[in-house]
Amino acid sequence: MQLVVARIGRAHGIKGEVTVEVRTDEPELRLGPGAVLHTDPASAGPLTIETGRVHSGRLLLRFEGVKDRTAAEALRNILLIADVDPDELPEEEDEYYDHQLVDLDVVLADGTEVGVISEISHLPSQDLFIVERPDGTELMIPFVSEIVTEIDLENQRAVIAPPPGLIDDSEAVVASAREAEAEDADRTAAAERGERAERGDDVEQAEAAERGRDAEQTDAAEQDSAETKNDAGKDAS
């Protein structure tokens, strides 16, 4: 069977290299030097990979017969297709070929139907399931273990545990409302703490003022007493 393993991007440099959007988990196997690939459109191929290297996180390929930038630009957006044995399986237990995943039923843990995987999108950061829903709309489900909890090839299904809002906007609204309520509660608690602190400051200020008045009165009384003693001494003289 045939699988799309990459899409050719823009030309890189002037010696015929092109950037490649990888669509396989095994680029070293499918896109290594010497690999002969079919193309879509078919008129552009087949193409034989001459060299390959990684530059700034992207795979760069050069094909036999493509020697300059003009020839490389002519290949832009062409799909690269590899012949794959349908019985071949990935080396790692938790890895899958696209053809194993396409057409799987996507369901929730309770068996609720979500849709059918129509395509696998390979992005630089992660892979995505493109899921066609019964109403004809599409969903994008990140292929990560936190969301895709089980791949059951025997029963042809993928079980997911989506976060709020991934498959149902109403869930996102509920989650947002809960977050808003929590933020309001935090703001209210903070305001109450502020009011209590202000009341505490007012009490402390009042007590300080009272202590200040008492001290002034004490100083005045001591001063009056001293003056009285001085006057008594003068009279005695």
Side-chain angles (χ1 to χ4, degrees):
M1 66 180 299
Q2 294 187 327
L3 294 177
V4 174
V5 293
R7 182 183 69 83
I8 298 175
R10 59 186 176 81
H12 178 85
I14 60 173
K15 296 183 179 180
E17 285 186 311
V18 294
T19 60
V20 173
E21 176 190 310
V22 177
R23 297 189 179 182
T24 174
D25 291 332
E26 299 176 314
E28 67 284 351
L29 175 64
R30 309 296 180 195
L31 301 171
V36 179
L37 302 168
H38 303 286
T39 60
D40 182 7
S43 59
L47 293 173
T48 301
I49 296 176
E50 185 174 278
T51 64
R53 65 188 179 98
V54 176
H55 175 73
S56 298
R58 301 207 67 174
L59 179 62
L60 302 179
L61 297 180
R62 180 186 290 114
F63 299 99
E64 291 182 2
V66 179
K67 301 301 183 182
D68 57 33
R69 186 178 184 88
T70 300
E73 280 290 354
L75 299 176
R76 191 166 188 169
N77 292 324
I78 288 174
L79 298 178
L80 301 177
I81 303 169
D83 287 318
V84 178
D85 184 344
D87 295 327
E88 182 182 344
L89 297 177
E91 295 181 359
E92 299 295 331
E93 184 178 350
D94 58 348
E95 291 183 352
Y96 304 91
Y97 290 137
D98 288 4
H99 71 271
Q100 295 176 288
L101 300 172
V102 171
D103 292 333
L104 292 186
D105 293 325
V106 180
V107 299
L108 302 181
D110 61 4
T112 301
E113 180 185 0
V114 176
V116 176
I117 299 175
S118 61
E119 180 186 345
I120 310 298
S121 178
H122 299 280
L123 303 180
S125 58
Q126 63 185 6
D127 295 337
L128 294 175
F129 290 167
I130 308 302
V131 178
E132 184 175 345
R133 307 195 71 173
D135 62 3
T137 60
E138 287 187 340
L139 292 172
M140 291 185 292
I141 306 293
F143 188 16
V144 294
S145 59
E146 294 82 359
I147 297 175
V148 181
T149 58
E150 181 184 1
I151 297 294
D152 185 352
L153 295 180
E154 182 177 352
N155 293 304
Q156 288 291 287
R157 68 175 195 165
V159 181
I160 65 171
L166 183 62
I167 64 174
D168 188 346
D169 291 340
S170 64
E171 293 179 2
V173 171
V174 171
S176 297
R178 289 174 179 169
E179 292 174 358
E181 289 176 359
E183 290 176 357
D184 288 342
D186 290 342
R187 284 195 293 269
T188 300
E192 291 177 350
R193 288 194 296 271
E195 291 175 358
R196 287 196 296 270
E198 289 178 0
R199 288 197 295 270
D201 290 343
D202 290 344
V203 171
E204 290 181 0
Q205 291 174 2
E207 291 177 348
E210 183 66 26
R211 288 193 296 271
R213 286 195 295 272
D214 290 344
E216 289 176 359
Q217 290 174 357
T218 300
D219 291 342
E222 290 177 351
Q223 184 175 356
D224 289 344
S225 175
E227 290 177 354
T228 299
K229 289 179 181 178
N230 289 336
D231 289 343
K234 292 177 182 179
D235 291 343
S237 299

